[in-house]
Amino acid sequence: MQLNRLVEFHKTMGDPTRLRILSLLSNGPLHGQAIAGKLGLTAPTITHHLKKLRDINVVFERRDKNTIYFNLNHLVVKQHSEALKQLMEGKEISMVDQSDEKQKIIANFFTKDGKLKTIPAQRKKKLMVFEHLIKGIEKGKKYEEKEINEYILQFHDDYATIRREFIINHYMYRENGIYELNPVEMWAKIEG
Amino acid sequence: MQLNRLVEFHKTMGDPTRLRILSLLSNGPLHGQAIAGKLGLTAPTITHHLKKLRDINVVFERRDKNTIYFNLNHLVVKQHSEALKQLMEGKEISMVDQSDEKQKIIANFFTKDGKLKTIPAQRKKKLMVFEHLIKGIEKGKKYEEKEINEYILQFHDDYATIRREFIINHYMYRENGIYELNPVEMWAKIEG
DNA sequence: TATCTAATTAGATTAACATCAAATCAAAGA
DNA sequence: TCTTTGATTTGATGTTAATCTAATTAGATA
């Protein structure tokens, strides 16, 4: 987890209007005007806040005709909450003041706001990146394919490819459309 | 959990300097000048940030001679992380838009930033307040007395009284100085 | 094509806030 | 009492950000 991302996350959550928007979305998708109405604010204000919420990937949108429905992405919230708790337990902020070789390689493939620039071509590096991505997935929890897609989307548009790679390299397994994290021993080995 | 408190918490966490201070404190207490030195900032700046961190009870201080050592309070961080996750799961923001009778009584005993104004004299109300306070304690986890004190301190100065009440009314039990939450069935009953 | 609807952008206003230098405060020790 | 040391307060400065109104864009439908 990068310090920057964590700061942006909390800065975004530190506003009553945005928390209320998320609270509304927790009951299901809504379109902009509905949100504006329920909160007694104007449409531009809602657009403003939704942009910030999108920036940290905690909401995403689906279009239907002229109307855009905004959806909540629970996973991203959980991931950041976890990161903060770990920071409090003395865990290092990686890829910022970390000089470790492996961390440096990984950092090269991400933008400063945490997006994956490209999927590495080299197998070894690719696996390092996947191991990093998988960190937000909880052990022992069952995920719908849709949830996995939304989770990956915060890092990269091509969620289908990456989701497939998670399976191929045994980071996760799938059963009847339900995904779950594999134990570490099963993951593809990074040689060298 | 009140919306205001959650907003203040996240606003406070949404600053790189403050996250770095907390990261430093996770390795043990430090005094102001030490923090300033490590972060390359001036003393007034550190004072400024520590005040904000104290406001949300995520740090507390102990004096030794002329020097003030700042300590991290893990529990409060965990509590707020949990509250946010629950908000995302559709749980209501209590005591804000909640009209429920019981919630109203409780709300009367707290300031808008979550401090307990007084310990209720009436037994029934007192128990309601205790049930509210205990919400940040994790089931099945063992706590040192010191941790319990620090946890209570975020609500009220007289942590000794309240800690004792927790035991008397069977919200928690103590064994060899280690505290743990009791199952709900054991708690004192609120009649009426 | 003209029109309706939902969302966004632009620009303005106002409030909050991070940081620093200089001044002040408070406890300890000489 | 005087000095030292660590922490805080004050005031200034520059920046970020929440919200609104008015104007604009972009799809959909008639």
Side-chain angles (χ1 to χ4, degrees), chain B residues 42-175:
Chain B
T42 65
T45 303
I46 301 304
T47 297
H48 167 73
H49 289 299
L50 284 174
K51 192 191 311 200
K52 301 212 160 211
L53 290 170
R54 250 182 329 214
D55 282 349
I56 60 164
N57 304 292
V58 81
V59 304
F60 61 96
E61 51 191 69
R62 271 198 241 289
R63 247 201 135 87
D64 177 43
K65 311 257 163 106
N66 235 329
T67 308
I68 297 175
Y69 289 91
F70 295 93
N71 299 252
L72 177 60
N73 189 341
H74 307 69
L75 280 186
V76 177
V77 176
K78 295 228 181 87
Q79 199 188 4
H80 285 97
S81 293
E82 208 49 47
L84 179 66
K85 280 200 286 187
Q86 298 205 344
L87 185 64
M88 298 302 115
E89 319 238 298
K91 212 158 257 175
E92 282 300 319
I93 304 172
S94 66
M95 305 201 289
V96 168
D97 33 29
Q98 190 80 291
S99 58
D100 172 28
E101 189 56 32
K102 193 167 163 183
Q103 298 281 10
K104 257 189 196 152
I105 295 174
I106 294 175
N108 270 334
F109 281 98
F110 288 89
T111 66
K112 69 193 164 320
D113 46 295
K115 300 273 184 206
L116 178 60
K117 287 189 275 197
T118 65
I119 301 175
Q122 229 180 290
R123 173 179 160 86
K124 187 175 137 190
K125 293 184 180 173
K126 193 171 69 174
L127 294 181
M128 284 182 190
V129 164
F130 288 157
E131 284 198 15
H132 178 72
L133 293 180
I134 213 82
K135 283 206 175 97
I137 302 291
E138 247 171 283
K139 197 170 61 179
K141 224 187 124 182
K142 297 183 192 319
Y143 294 92
E144 310 256 336
E145 176 164 312
K146 196 176 48 131
E147 288 182 290
I148 296 294
N149 293 345
E150 288 163 11
Y151 173 75
I152 298 173
L153 257 178
Q154 76 178 112
F155 300 110
H156 200 275
D157 283 337
D158 190 359
Y159 56 81
T161 297
I162 294 179
R163 192 196 58 224
R164 232 175 292 121
E165 292 268 15
F166 280 176
I167 302 296
I168 294 173
N169 296 294
H170 309 293
Y171 294 110
M172 308 191 80
Y173 73 97
R174 186 178 66 166
E175 207 169 56

